Amino acid sequence: MTEMTSRSPSVSTEEPYTVQYDRLDDEPLSVAVADAVAAFCNDDVTALDPLHYSINADALERLFEPRADGLRSGGSVTFEYNDCLVTVDSDGEIRVESA
């Protein structure tokens, strides 16, 4: 996961926090989402509720996993997690903002 914003993450800001997820990396997308939310909230990832309380993490993984004919070229999913609005795009961008 690569951080794309230059500001210090914090829930108190109106600016979204954006990271780039490498869909061909071994790190699960669900872990990258939890890490991004923890960074945005300036909190430890272990302090967050489990991701599966907000979204089916297995379905999220399958939605954006590489396919036999290549990577998904379009689409996104948005959900609320830990008082944040999280958007995952097919290009690997994870955007976190206050809900």
Side-chain angles (χ1 to χ4, degrees):
M1 180 173 65
T2 305
E3 184 174 342
M4 295 177 66
T5 55
S6 59
R7 65 171 182 78
S8 177
S10 171
V11 167
S12 62
T13 183
E14 295 299 320
E15 293 181 43
Y17 176 70
T18 306
V19 294
Q20 187 65 38
Y21 172 71
D22 182 356
R23 296 180 292 169
L24 299 177
D25 195 2
D26 288 337
E27 178 184 47
L29 176 57
S30 56
V31 171
V33 167
D35 286 344
V37 171
F40 178 78
C41 295
N42 200 22
D43 210 347
D44 189 76
V45 71
T46 61
L48 303 178
D49 287 335
L51 183 62
H52 68 266
Y53 286 6
S54 297
I55 190 168
N56 182 320
D58 290 334
L60 180 65
E61 299 285 346
R62 285 191 307 274
L63 185 61
F64 294 108
E65 71 186 2
R67 301 173 185 272
D69 61 349
L71 297 173
R72 181 180 294 275
S73 61
S76 67
V77 64
T78 301
F79 57 95
E80 195 169 323
Y81 173 52
N82 201 64
D83 296 326
C84 298
L85 196 61
V86 178
T87 302
V88 179
D89 291 324
S90 63
D91 66 359
E93 182 179 278
I94 301 170
R95 188 173 50 258
V96 183
E97 54 194 312
S98 294

